Amino acid sequence: MRRPIIAGNWKMNKTPSETIKLISELKPLVAGANAQVVVCPTSVCLFAAKGAAEGSNIAIGAQNVFFEDAGAYTGEISCDSLLELGVEFVIIGHSERRQYFAETDETVNKKVLKALQKGLKPIICVGEHLKEKEHGITNEIVRMQTKLALEGVLANDIENIVIAYEPVWAIGTGLTATSQEANNTIREIRKAVGELYGERAEDIRIQYGGSMNAGNASELMGMSDIDGGLIGGASLKAADFAKVVNY
């Protein structure tokens, strides 16, 4: 059985001291969680986050990584640096990275391959824009993004990957897909993985990330194919995030 995974994407929020405070507040609230708990602060807060989470069930994730080991790549961060900080997960291909920082399906794939090679667990984001939804091509978009992101990935690595379905139109807008819509799309993503890896598709965890919060987490998590959530705004307050984790 796939273990649920709830990951908080803090985006560009919280300083190192605020990171320590938030994780310290969160630790006792999620200590008995059945779901795997991950928080993803900014890169400058990762050291503080790892120290604050020491001895707890909270894993640390990064929000980005580069696909080369080292070199003249100003502002980028390597897998080795993340690993030395104790990072376990890394978000790759978030729609904001695609929109603002020219992330493409090709660079997403390169980052996925490098992360897996180094021992990091990618959280791969896929999702459609509003116009694509309105044209009825959601399934085509997420299937394409999924297959391109996984190009060259070995079957044995599937269990180390998380996919987050994030409809772009629902991120930070307060809008959310219905639980059935989200489940149907995630089932299509799993089918796409199955076309590449057969029964191993049942091993991969697929999250929903379009404005999941304390109010809708139980309904969404009750669906057959939704294995967790990639949480934005609701992850910035310990009590709110804990309610999602303990849905």
Side-chain angles (χ1 to χ4, degrees):
M1 176 170 295
R2 299 183 298 268
R3 184 186 181 193
I5 176 169
I6 307 293
N9 176 14
W10 293 4
K11 306 188 179 185
M12 199 179 72
N13 294 290
K14 304 299 179 184
T15 64
S17 62
E18 291 170 339
T19 294
I20 293 170
K21 182 176 184 292
L22 178 51
I23 292 178
S24 298
E25 293 172 352
L26 183 63
K27 283 161 68 171
L29 300 179
V30 301
N34 291 321
Q36 185 169 19
V37 185
V38 184
V39 296
C40 304
T42 63
S43 59
V44 297
C45 295
L46 290 170
F47 181 79
K50 183 62 179 176
E54 198 69 38
S56 76
N57 61 330
I58 300 173
I60 305 302
Q63 297 178 17
N64 188 34
V65 72
F66 198 58
F67 50 75
E68 297 289 352
D69 290 335
Y73 306 107
T74 302
E76 293 297 333
I77 185 168
S78 70
C79 288
D80 288 336
S81 293
L82 295 180
L83 288 166
E84 194 166 310
L85 288 171
V87 170
E88 185 176 348
F89 292 87
V90 58
I91 299 170
I92 296 177
H94 191 280
S95 65
E96 290 157 2
R97 297 293 312 175
R98 296 175 190 254
Q99 178 180 355
Y100 301 124
F101 304 105
E103 194 85 75
T104 67
D105 291 323
E106 181 182 3
T107 58
V108 167
N109 176 244
K110 287 183 176 182
K111 291 180 178 186
V112 169
L113 293 175
K114 178 58 69 173
L116 289 170
Q117 176 195 338
K118 291 290 187 174
L120 288 168
K121 297 175 181 177
I123 299 175
I124 305 169
C125 298
V126 301
E128 83 283 16
H129 289 269
L130 181 58
K131 184 170 288 188
E132 293 164 338
K133 172 183 169 61
E134 291 173 341
H135 282 288
I137 57 172
T138 292
N139 289 347
E140 288 88 340
I141 295 298
V142 297
R143 287 171 60 86
M144 176 188 70
Q145 291 177 336
T146 299
K147 288 190 172 184
L148 290 174
L150 296 177
E151 187 174 356
V153 172
L154 300 176
N156 289 341
D157 279 325
I158 285 297
E159 63 186 19
N160 295 317
I161 290 173
V162 178
I163 295 177
Y165 167 51
E166 292 210 310
V168 179
W169 51 269
I171 299 173
T173 63
L175 300 173
T176 184
T178 68
S179 56
Q180 193 60 60
E181 285 175 334
N183 197 63
N184 289 345
T185 303
I186 285 175
R187 186 178 296 126
E188 283 298 321
I189 294 170
R190 198 176 303 283
K191 285 181 183 177
V193 177
E195 289 165 10
L196 297 174
Y197 302 102
E199 293 181 358
R200 298 302 297 269
E202 294 303 315
D203 298 331
I204 198 166
R205 294 181 291 178
I206 307 178
Q207 303 172 311
Y208 175 69
S211 296
M212 183 186 282
N213 55 51
N216 59 26
S218 292
E219 182 180 354
L220 286 162
M221 290 300 297
M223 304 305 292
S224 60
D225 277 272
I226 299 178
D227 302 317
L230 183 58
I231 316 301
S235 70
L236 296 174
K237 294 183 179 179
D240 292 346
F241 187 53
K243 288 177 183 176
V244 178
V245 170
N246 297 312
Y247 63 91

